[in-house]
Amino acid sequence: MVRRTKAEAETTRHQILDAAEREFLARGVAHTRLQDVAVAAGVTRGAIYWHFEDKAALFNAMMERAFLPCEAGECPGCPPADDPLGRLMRQATWPLRVLAENEQVQRVFRIAMHQTEYTEELASVQQRYLEGINQFRDDLQAQLEVASQAGLLRPGLSLKAVALGLFALVDGLMHHWTLQPGGFDLVECGDAAVKAYVNGLRAAPGTTAAAPDAPAPAPRARRSRPAPST
C-alpha cells in the first residue's frame, strides 16, 4: 500500500468535506449516503471511514470548519461609540452581510437550517447554533443599554424583549433569503428593515434618559472563527 503524506491526507479530507457540503445541501443530511459523498469527492468509502467514523462525524466536522452568520464576530467599520444606535444597526445587520457575501456560509447555513433533522448524534451542532444566537442577542442588548443610558430610546422599553425582537427580524430575513436565494437583496432589505425597527425605538425630542430594565448578561467567550473555505 502506498503511504500517503500528511499533506495528501489533509487534501483528501477537505475534498470529502467539500463534497459533503454539496451533497447535504442537494439531498438533505438524512437522505445522503456516505457512498454519495465518496462518489462526489472522487474517493472510496474506505477513504471516508479513514477520516470519519460515520456520517454524524462527517457532518460535525463539516460544521466545525465553518462558521454561521451570528458567529461572525465584531463587525468592521462600525460607527463610533458616541453613535450607539448607529452601532446597533450595523451590529444587527453584520450577519446579513456575512451571509450574502460568503458562499460557504450560505451553504452551511442552508444545510443547518433547512436540510438537517437534529437527532441526538447531531445535538452538538444544534447546541452550538443556540450558543451563537444567544451571544448575538446578548450583544444587541448590551448595545441597547448604551443607547438607553444615553437617553436615545423611549422610556419603559424592555430591552431584553427589544433585543429578542431585533434578533428575530434578522434571523427571519436570513431564513427566508436562504429558502429563495436571489428573491430579494438581503443586505438592502435588511438595512431598511432594521433601520425602521430601530427608528421606532427612538425617544421623542426632549425625553430624559430612563434606567434600563435589567443589565445584559456578561459576554460569553466567543468561538474562534475558522478561515472560510470557498
Side-chain angles (χ1 to χ4, degrees):
M1 174 182 281
V2 177
R3 294 182 62 85
R4 300 176 65 82
T5 67
K6 184 175 180 180
E8 288 173 332
E10 190 65 15
T11 297
T12 300
R13 185 176 188 275
H14 281 290
Q15 277 181 244
I16 294 168
L17 290 170
D18 289 342
E21 276 186 16
R22 297 192 299 271
E23 294 301 303
F24 288 154
L25 182 59
R27 303 170 185 268
V29 176
H31 298 292
T32 299
R33 302 170 303 163
L34 289 181
Q35 180 62 31
D36 299 324
V37 176
V39 171
V43 301
T44 64
R45 277 172 57 93
I48 292 182
Y49 282 116
W50 193 85
H51 289 279
F52 307 101
E53 182 179 357
D54 52 24
K55 186 167 71 172
L58 173 60
F59 176 83
N60 286 327
M62 181 202 72
M63 294 299 299
E64 276 297 317
R65 75 168 184 166
F67 62 92
L68 296 171
C70 288
E71 297 173 334
E74 297 293 331
C75 61
C78 268
D82 60 359
D83 181 12
L85 290 182
R87 289 180 69 88
L88 173 67
M89 288 187 282
R90 178 69 178 185
Q91 186 176 6
T93 57
W94 178 236
L96 305 180
R97 287 173 163 75
V98 171
L99 182 60
E101 296 170 4
N102 189 305
E103 291 184 1
Q104 187 191 30
V105 174
Q106 292 171 27
R107 291 192 298 270
V108 171
F109 185 80
R110 288 175 64 192
I111 292 166
M113 297 299 103
H114 305 304
Q115 299 287 56
T116 304
E117 295 179 8
Y118 285 100
T119 61
E120 184 176 350
E121 293 173 312
L122 306 182
S124 63
V125 172
Q126 186 177 44
Q127 181 61 31
R128 171 190 147 189
Y129 171 69
L130 292 174
E131 290 174 356
I133 63 176
N134 286 339
Q135 177 65 63
F136 178 67
R137 193 174 65 235
D138 291 348
D139 291 345
L140 295 179
Q141 184 175 340
Q143 192 59 45
L144 282 162
E145 287 176 3
V146 174
S148 179
Q149 290 165 4
L152 300 175
L153 302 182
R154 290 189 285 110
L157 293 172
S158 166
L159 300 186
K160 182 177 181 179
V162 170
L164 179 59
L166 183 53
F167 162 72
L169 171 61
V170 171
D171 193 51
L173 285 168
M174 293 192 295
H175 275 73
H176 186 55
W177 186 77
T178 50
L179 282 172
Q180 53 167 162
F184 61 95
D185 187 310
L186 179 60
V187 173
E188 182 180 334
C189 290
D191 282 344
V194 167
K195 183 178 180 179
Y197 183 93
V198 171
N199 282 343
L201 306 173
R202 291 181 185 272
T207 303
T208 57
D213 55 349
R220 300 178 175 87
R222 287 193 177 275
R223 180 178 182 274
S224 59
R225 171 176 160 177
S229 168
T230 56

